[in-house]
Amino acid sequence: GHSIVFISHKLYEVMAITHRVIVLRHGKLAGRVETSATDRHKLAEMMVGAEVTAPKLAEKLPGPALLTLKRCTTPRRGNAPGLAGVSLELKAGQITGLAGVSGNGQAALADLIGGLEGPSSGEMIIEGASQSWSPRAALGAGIARIPEDRHKTGTIADFTITENAVLERYTDAPFSRRGWMNWRAAGDFARRIIDTYDVRCPGPEARIRLLSGGNMQKVILGRALEPAPRIILANQPVRGLDIGAVTFVHSRLIAARDEGAAVLLISEDLDEVMALSDVIHVIYEGHLSPAFPRGSMTPAELGTWMAGQGFERASDAA
């Protein structure tokens, strides 16, 4: 007999358990409808204010490998597995999707590519050059990082949007000159991100903790993509975002791919991986599957690999 107000942007939840829906957009009432008289597509339109169309992945021949891992192994961390002899190629103009149940080595792979951890064995090669590894080396090699946790590792809550926008490049021109910060250039960069990525905020000097999760993610996305990186590590890039922000992030990743970037998409959402990836790997207990070309595997077949059932066959074949 209780009355319940349920607040969510996950439309499948809204459709599953509510009787009526009120949609807010930019602080104003955008729609009111009985749940039985609508669907997820119509609700998404009310949320965004326009028809929501998922970006399409056009056929494209990949270029050369920009980043190569050769039988890389990393230590186990607590209950989480490290990598077990992982070999991987990230090619120019290609989105490589990584599917898997959470906690099977995704974090270890992201930390390795992002420079937070070096391999205990194996080799990492970027555009033909073997790498010694650190976060600064990863940035210097042109790797853009969209981290898994935007609060813990993606931003500093009490810093401004401007400060967060230049976190990874504050020592580089045009943000630094002879050891001194050029705050005008930093502010211009932050304003460009705000305008280009439609960040809803009071301005570049606002504390980033005041932003919604979607707007915070847009700042991180702009920081990563505006320098036109060659290699993009996108780790759970749309976790917790509404349908409008999801569509925007996906479109920017596809645009970067179309411009020749090599993108590694790590996601626990199999639908997202299948929709955006040119090739798909599955990770299981630190082991990496072969590369499956787009459209060659059904969700059920990928699910079999995610449960570990394909890796014995792959090991026997090797």
Side-chain angles (χ1 to χ4, degrees):
H2 290 245
S3 177
I4 298 172
V5 178
F6 178 72
I7 302 173
S8 176
H9 59 247
K10 296 181 178 178
L11 298 183
Y12 68 90
E13 293 181 343
V14 173
M15 293 299 299
I17 69 169
T18 65
H19 298 94
R20 65 191 182 102
V21 184
I22 292 173
V23 178
L24 295 178
R25 186 173 70 250
H26 303 162
K28 297 179 180 180
L29 182 66
R32 188 196 312 264
V33 66
E34 297 296 317
T35 307
S36 59
T38 191
D39 56 34
R40 283 192 280 180
H41 182 74
K42 293 176 183 175
L43 289 178
E45 284 189 20
M46 280 192 279
M47 290 170 63
V48 176
E51 184 176 359
V52 178
T53 304
K56 301 295 184 182
L57 199 68
E59 292 293 329
K60 187 177 189 298
L61 289 176
L66 301 183
L67 184 148
T68 302
L69 303 181
K70 291 186 175 181
R71 301 196 62 80
C72 286
T73 298
T74 62
R76 189 177 185 88
R77 295 178 291 182
N79 293 326
L83 301 180
V86 164
S87 296
L88 174 68
E89 283 190 336
L90 301 182
K91 295 182 178 181
Q94 186 177 76
I95 297 178
T96 300
L98 185 70
V101 178
S102 178
N104 272 279
Q106 294 95 325
L109 181 60
D111 285 353
L112 178 67
I113 292 176
L116 297 177
E117 183 173 5
S120 52
S121 64
E123 187 178 14
M124 296 183 294
I125 300 170
I126 292 184
E127 299 196 58
S130 183
Q131 295 290 326
S132 58
W133 223 227
S134 69
R136 186 173 295 277
L139 292 170
I143 296 176
R145 303 182 294 182
I146 302 171
E148 177 180 11
D149 189 332
R150 54 182 168 265
H151 298 283
K152 184 178 179 180
T153 56
T155 58
I156 297 177
D158 283 323
F159 277 18
T160 66
I161 294 173
T162 296
E163 290 168 329
N164 276 281
V166 299
L167 269 182
E168 297 185 335
R169 301 175 59 214
Y170 68 90
T171 60
D172 302 335
F175 310 126
S176 177
R177 184 181 180 188
R178 297 176 181 174
W180 292 90
M181 279 295 299
N182 183 341
W183 287 111
R184 177 175 293 181
D188 289 345
F189 181 65
R191 278 185 285 273
R192 186 162 84 243
I193 290 175
I194 290 169
D195 293 342
T196 304
Y197 293 80
D198 191 26
V199 180
R200 306 297 171 88
C201 65
E205 298 311 307
R207 304 292 173 185
I208 203 165
R209 61 179 166 79
L210 301 177
L211 272 58
S212 69
N215 285 301
M216 193 179 296
Q217 193 75 355
K218 288 178 181 179
V219 173
I220 295 171
L221 194 73
R223 181 180 71 197
L225 299 187
E226 276 301 289
R230 296 278 286 156
I231 302 165
I232 299 168
L233 169 63
N235 191 358
Q236 314 294 344
V238 299
R239 176 180 283 170
L241 302 189
D242 63 58
I243 185 65
V246 167
T247 302
F248 179 82
V249 172
H250 286 173
S251 68
R252 299 303 299 195
L253 291 176
I254 291 174
R257 170 257 199 191
D258 291 343
E259 291 167 6
V263 182
L264 176 62
L265 171 66
I266 302 176
S267 176
E268 293 161 20
D269 184 336
L270 186 56
D271 289 337
E272 179 183 25
V273 171
M274 295 188 72
L276 291 186
S277 303
D278 296 290
V279 295
I280 299 173
H281 291 272
V282 176
I283 192 166
Y284 175 77
E285 293 189 351
H287 297 271
L288 200 66
S289 76
F292 305 120
R294 178 180 177 83
S296 65
M297 299 285 278
T298 66
E301 289 169 333
L302 288 173
T304 298
W305 280 86
M306 290 166 65
Q309 296 182 33
F311 285 88
E312 289 183 2
R313 297 193 301 272
S315 177
D316 291 341

